[in-house]
Amino acid sequence: MKIIDYKDVLPRELTAATMHGVTGRVLIGKADGADHFCMRMIEVAPGGVIPRHKHPWEHQQFFHSGQGRLLRDGDWVDVGPGSVAYIPPDAEHSIENTGGEPLLLICLVPDFAPEL
């Protein structure tokens, strides 16, 4: 069993060609014996962007704090504390922080997806 404060996990800067202001933490993963999923905390800084992308695995997201928007089916949907999203395999999506504080979200992915 593992019980931690998420802040005890060091954040890792996530980079891609057009990604900026994004860090991630693996909260529960393979190193913990989690054989079927990975729980990640993603932080998008004010003005930060996770660019449009897609991948062959589903994932679920729970927005903990901050304000932003999520690209779904070509349209932007506002998200904030308490928002929940299911993103099916191969669905194009993007996240932008539209507020003045970090946008924090929990993201669950299956075991075959990259942990970060």
Side-chain angles (χ1 to χ4, degrees):
M1 181 180 295
K2 178 180 182 180
I3 301 173
I4 62 166
D5 184 308
Y6 83 91
K7 296 173 193 158
D8 292 339
V9 178
L10 293 176
R12 185 177 124 202
E13 184 176 358
L14 304 180
T15 58
T18 58
M19 183 182 299
H20 65 275
V22 182
T23 60
R25 305 168 199 247
V26 175
L27 304 180
I28 300 171
K30 290 180 176 79
D32 303 302
D35 295 328
H36 304 289
F37 69 93
C38 174
M39 177 187 286
R40 313 177 296 183
M41 170 69 80
I42 306 297
E43 182 172 330
V44 184
V49 174
I50 298 173
R52 290 181 188 217
H53 66 286
K54 63 182 181 175
H55 36 70
W57 58 84
E58 68 179 74
H59 57 294
Q60 298 86 36
Q61 297 177 333
F62 173 81
F63 292 84
H64 175 68
S65 62
Q67 296 296 317
R69 62 185 193 159
L70 173 66
L71 183 68
R72 178 188 66 184
D73 298 328
D75 293 318
W76 290 100
V77 177
D78 291 334
V79 293
S83 296
V84 176
Y86 168 70
I87 301 169
D90 297 314
E92 186 178 65
H93 55 287
S94 176
I95 296 174
E96 295 181 355
N97 182 333
T98 59
E101 63 184 68
L103 178 63
L104 295 176
L105 62 124
I106 296 291
C107 182
L108 301 174
V109 297
D111 63 333
F112 59 87
E115 289 193 327
L116 275 181

